[in-house]
Amino acid sequence: MYLMDFRLFIITFSLPFIMSRLNDFTNLKRNSGVRPRQDTKQGRYVPKPGIRLQKPSSSSLSVASYDSTILECEAEGNPSPIFHWLKDGQRILQGSWDDLVSTLDEEMNGNEKITQGVSRTRSRLFLDCVTAKQEGVYSCVAENPYQRISGETVVKLSKEGNTVNALCMAKKSFGTPARIYMWTRTRIEVQGNDIQLFCRASGNPQPKLAWMRGDENGKLIESSEKYKILESGDLVIRNLAWEDLGGYTCLAKNVHGNDKTFTFVYPAAPEKE
């Protein structure tokens, strides 16, 4: 059953994306947000460093008092784009990992240099028990060492739901469930290179992260010569091979709940010399 579901996922969702990206590389389409460039040393084309915002949040959002909502963004780029969020120009810290880093260079792992592939990263911002304090302009900022782009959403309270939601406030006072706020959705990379798959989670208490091959019922991934699970929760896959094709699930858990995300990896064949 799982094999049939997995094949259906590839045909329905992943294959169209993969074919469109490979087509961009081959034909050097002018409208591509990540344009190829000539690598004179290798005599081959690789994606030009840059980012394209794929799924910006809506420009405005009306939320009832004490309701909860999620803002979401997605970007594609090379090297892999990461996200952070701003409220009225001030950075929002979403998880304990954000407290440990202060610059982009510190947050990016050494594996994430200019590669021959392309990556899609998605980010979510969770707004719980929204009050007047949460009204404002929220910016999702996607960046890598070569480019930064952003999208904005204006959040306002609606006239409905002015009564205090006691249940929402009570739940928040006891803690928050594990929630993944940034992860890699799809990664295409040439075989032989190393890749880094993002999985950053927040929650109170801080959630524990695990990676599985396939869905959440798949084989548990442990650190080895092939894999390395970073302190941030990200997964590094070394020496990418065709056998690494497929899905990877990141699972975050704490006492209040769990969350999971799915990443599809496509190891592209290297160009012939």
Short mmCIF file of all heavy atoms in Angstrom, two decimals, residues 21 24 31-34 50-55 74-77 81 120 147 149:
data_model
loop_
_atom_site.label_atom_id
_atom_site.label_comp_id
_atom_site.label_asym_id
_atom_site.label_seq_id
_atom_site.Cartn_x
_atom_site.Cartn_y
_atom_site.Cartn_z
N ARG A 21 12.13 21.78 -13.50
CA ARG A 21 13.43 22.31 -13.12
C ARG A 21 14.54 21.81 -14.04
O ARG A 21 15.40 22.57 -14.47
CB ARG A 21 13.77 21.90 -11.67
CG ARG A 21 12.79 22.48 -10.66
CD ARG A 21 13.10 23.91 -10.24
NE ARG A 21 13.00 24.91 -11.27
CZ ARG A 21 11.86 25.45 -11.66
NH1 ARG A 21 10.73 25.08 -11.15
NH2 ARG A 21 11.87 26.37 -12.60
N ASP A 24 14.40 23.69 -17.19
CA ASP A 24 14.99 25.02 -17.05
C ASP A 24 16.50 24.96 -17.22
O ASP A 24 17.09 25.81 -17.89
CB ASP A 24 14.67 25.61 -15.67
CG ASP A 24 13.24 26.12 -15.59
OD1 ASP A 24 12.60 26.22 -16.65
OD2 ASP A 24 12.78 26.41 -14.47
N ASN A 31 13.09 33.33 -18.27
CA ASN A 31 12.16 33.73 -17.22
C ASN A 31 12.40 33.00 -15.91
O ASN A 31 11.68 33.23 -14.94
CB ASN A 31 10.72 33.49 -17.67
CG ASN A 31 10.34 34.38 -18.81
OD1 ASN A 31 10.83 35.50 -18.93
ND2 ASN A 31 9.46 33.89 -19.69
N SER A 32 13.36 32.14 -15.86
CA SER A 32 13.61 31.40 -14.63
C SER A 32 14.16 32.32 -13.56
O SER A 32 15.01 33.15 -13.82
CB SER A 32 14.61 30.27 -14.90
OG SER A 32 14.96 29.66 -13.69
N GLY A 33 13.69 32.15 -12.33
CA GLY A 33 14.19 32.96 -11.23
C GLY A 33 15.60 32.57 -10.82
O GLY A 33 16.31 33.35 -10.23
N VAL A 34 15.98 31.34 -11.09
CA VAL A 34 17.32 30.88 -10.78
C VAL A 34 17.99 30.53 -12.10
O VAL A 34 17.88 29.43 -12.59
CB VAL A 34 17.29 29.64 -9.85
CG1 VAL A 34 18.71 29.22 -9.48
CG2 VAL A 34 16.48 29.93 -8.61
N GLY A 50 20.89 32.51 -6.50
CA GLY A 50 19.76 33.41 -6.39
C GLY A 50 18.57 32.74 -5.73
O GLY A 50 18.63 31.59 -5.33
N ILE A 51 17.47 33.48 -5.63
CA ILE A 51 16.26 33.01 -4.98
C ILE A 51 15.04 33.49 -5.75
O ILE A 51 15.04 34.60 -6.30
CB ILE A 51 16.15 33.53 -3.52
CG1 ILE A 51 17.38 33.13 -2.71
CG2 ILE A 51 14.90 32.97 -2.85
CD1 ILE A 51 17.37 33.74 -1.31
N ARG A 52 14.02 32.67 -5.78
CA ARG A 52 12.73 33.08 -6.32
C ARG A 52 11.65 32.74 -5.30
O ARG A 52 11.55 31.60 -4.86
CB ARG A 52 12.45 32.39 -7.65
CG ARG A 52 11.08 32.77 -8.24
CD ARG A 52 10.91 32.24 -9.64
NE ARG A 52 10.99 30.78 -9.69
CZ ARG A 52 10.91 30.09 -10.82
NH1 ARG A 52 10.81 30.71 -11.97
NH2 ARG A 52 10.97 28.76 -10.78
N LEU A 53 10.84 33.72 -4.93
CA LEU A 53 9.76 33.49 -3.98
C LEU A 53 8.62 32.79 -4.71
O LEU A 53 8.06 33.32 -5.67
CB LEU A 53 9.28 34.83 -3.40
CG LEU A 53 8.52 34.77 -2.07
CD1 LEU A 53 9.40 34.21 -0.97
CD2 LEU A 53 8.02 36.16 -1.67
N GLN A 54 8.27 31.59 -4.25
CA GLN A 54 7.27 30.77 -4.91
C GLN A 54 5.88 30.94 -4.32
O GLN A 54 4.89 30.95 -5.02
CB GLN A 54 7.66 29.29 -4.80
CG GLN A 54 8.96 28.95 -5.49
CD GLN A 54 8.81 28.90 -6.99
OE1 GLN A 54 7.74 28.65 -7.51
NE2 GLN A 54 9.89 29.16 -7.69
N LYS A 55 5.82 31.05 -3.00
CA LYS A 55 4.53 31.07 -2.31
C LYS A 55 4.53 32.14 -1.23
O LYS A 55 4.68 31.85 -0.05
CB LYS A 55 4.23 29.70 -1.69
CG LYS A 55 2.87 29.57 -1.02
CD LYS A 55 2.73 28.19 -0.40
CE LYS A 55 1.41 28.05 0.38
NZ LYS A 55 0.24 28.23 -0.49
N GLU A 74 7.17 30.22 0.71
CA GLU A 74 8.02 29.21 0.09
C GLU A 74 8.93 29.87 -0.93
O GLU A 74 8.51 30.78 -1.65
CB GLU A 74 7.18 28.12 -0.57
CG GLU A 74 7.99 27.00 -1.19
CD GLU A 74 7.11 25.88 -1.70
OE1 GLU A 74 6.34 25.33 -0.90
OE2 GLU A 74 7.18 25.56 -2.90
N ALA A 75 10.18 29.41 -0.99
CA ALA A 75 11.14 29.99 -1.93
C ALA A 75 12.00 28.89 -2.54
O ALA A 75 12.23 27.85 -1.92
CB ALA A 75 12.03 31.02 -1.24
N GLU A 76 12.47 29.15 -3.75
CA GLU A 76 13.35 28.23 -4.47
C GLU A 76 14.66 28.94 -4.75
O GLU A 76 14.67 30.13 -5.09
CB GLU A 76 12.69 27.81 -5.77
CG GLU A 76 13.54 26.95 -6.68
CD GLU A 76 12.84 26.68 -8.00
OE1 GLU A 76 11.74 26.09 -7.95
OE2 GLU A 76 13.35 27.08 -9.05
N GLY A 77 15.78 28.22 -4.61
CA GLY A 77 17.05 28.90 -4.87
C GLY A 77 18.25 28.00 -4.83
O GLY A 77 18.17 26.80 -4.58
N PRO A 81 17.69 28.39 0.13
CA PRO A 81 17.28 29.57 0.90
C PRO A 81 16.80 29.19 2.30
O PRO A 81 16.23 28.12 2.51
CB PRO A 81 16.12 30.15 0.07
CG PRO A 81 15.60 28.99 -0.71
CD PRO A 81 16.76 28.07 -0.96
N ARG A 120 13.84 23.84 -2.68
CA ARG A 120 12.67 24.60 -2.25
C ARG A 120 12.54 24.51 -0.74
O ARG A 120 12.53 23.42 -0.17
CB ARG A 120 11.38 24.08 -2.90
CG ARG A 120 11.19 24.55 -4.32
CD ARG A 120 9.78 24.30 -4.78
NE ARG A 120 9.59 24.75 -6.16
CZ ARG A 120 8.42 24.78 -6.78
NH1 ARG A 120 7.32 24.39 -6.14
NH2 ARG A 120 8.33 25.19 -8.03
N GLN A 147 21.55 36.52 -2.15
CA GLN A 147 20.34 37.29 -2.44
C GLN A 147 19.39 37.24 -1.25
O GLN A 147 19.41 36.30 -0.45
CB GLN A 147 19.63 36.76 -3.69
CG GLN A 147 18.50 37.64 -4.19
CD GLN A 147 17.88 37.12 -5.48
OE1 GLN A 147 18.30 36.09 -6.01
NE2 GLN A 147 16.89 37.81 -6.00
N ILE A 149 15.12 38.20 -0.59
CA ILE A 149 13.84 38.68 -1.08
C ILE A 149 12.81 38.51 0.03
O ILE A 149 13.01 37.71 0.96
CB ILE A 149 13.37 37.95 -2.35
CG1 ILE A 149 13.30 36.43 -2.10
CG2 ILE A 149 14.29 38.24 -3.53
CD1 ILE A 149 12.77 35.66 -3.28
#
